[in-house]
Amino acid sequence: MTLKECKKEEKADREFQKKFKFEGSINVLTRMMVDPAVTEKRGGGKNLPLRRGEILDVIQFTNREQILCRNNQRRCKSGVGAEALPA
């Protein structure tokens, strides 16, 4: 990983912590996949678009219906609980 990529990841993590009011270090709990049969959804606000079969890193289980996660581009998502399957 180059220095530029490392700084970009650090910046993305800081933005995540600010946007979701997340304190402490970001630890990935598990990985989940978006259900391939689900219809693709548009994002908005704190929710990013869902893509079929997308692999997500779970950062926090907020409640039964919402999960705080990020995709492989380090973009964060909230509220994908019903559409996510264990990977």
Side-chain angles (χ1 to χ4, degrees):
M1 183 181 310
T2 66
L3 182 62
K4 186 175 182 179
E5 290 172 347
C6 186
K7 286 185 179 184
K8 188 174 182 179
E9 284 185 13
E10 288 176 9
K11 183 179 178 183
D13 288 346
R14 284 193 306 271
E15 289 174 3
F16 162 78
Q17 289 175 333
K18 183 179 178 183
K19 183 175 184 178
F20 291 98
K21 297 177 182 145
F22 190 84
E23 295 179 6
S25 63
I26 299 171
N27 297 323
V28 176
L29 302 175
T30 186
R31 298 182 88 191
M32 297 187 110
M33 181 177 76
V34 177
D35 188 355
V38 75
T39 57
E40 294 188 8
K41 295 184 178 182
R42 287 186 171 187
K46 292 184 180 180
N47 299 329
L48 291 178
L50 289 178
R51 294 189 199 111
R52 296 179 188 158
E54 183 178 24
I55 303 293
L56 304 171
D57 294 331
V58 176
I59 298 169
Q60 183 180 33
F61 293 98
T62 54
N63 59 34
R64 284 184 90 60
E65 297 175 4
Q66 293 190 337
I67 301 171
L68 186 60
C69 1
R70 67 179 176 201
N71 61 7
N72 60 351
Q73 298 169 346
R74 302 186 72 80
R75 292 196 171 168
C76 300
K77 301 177 184 243
S78 177
V80 294
E83 296 88 6
L85 303 171

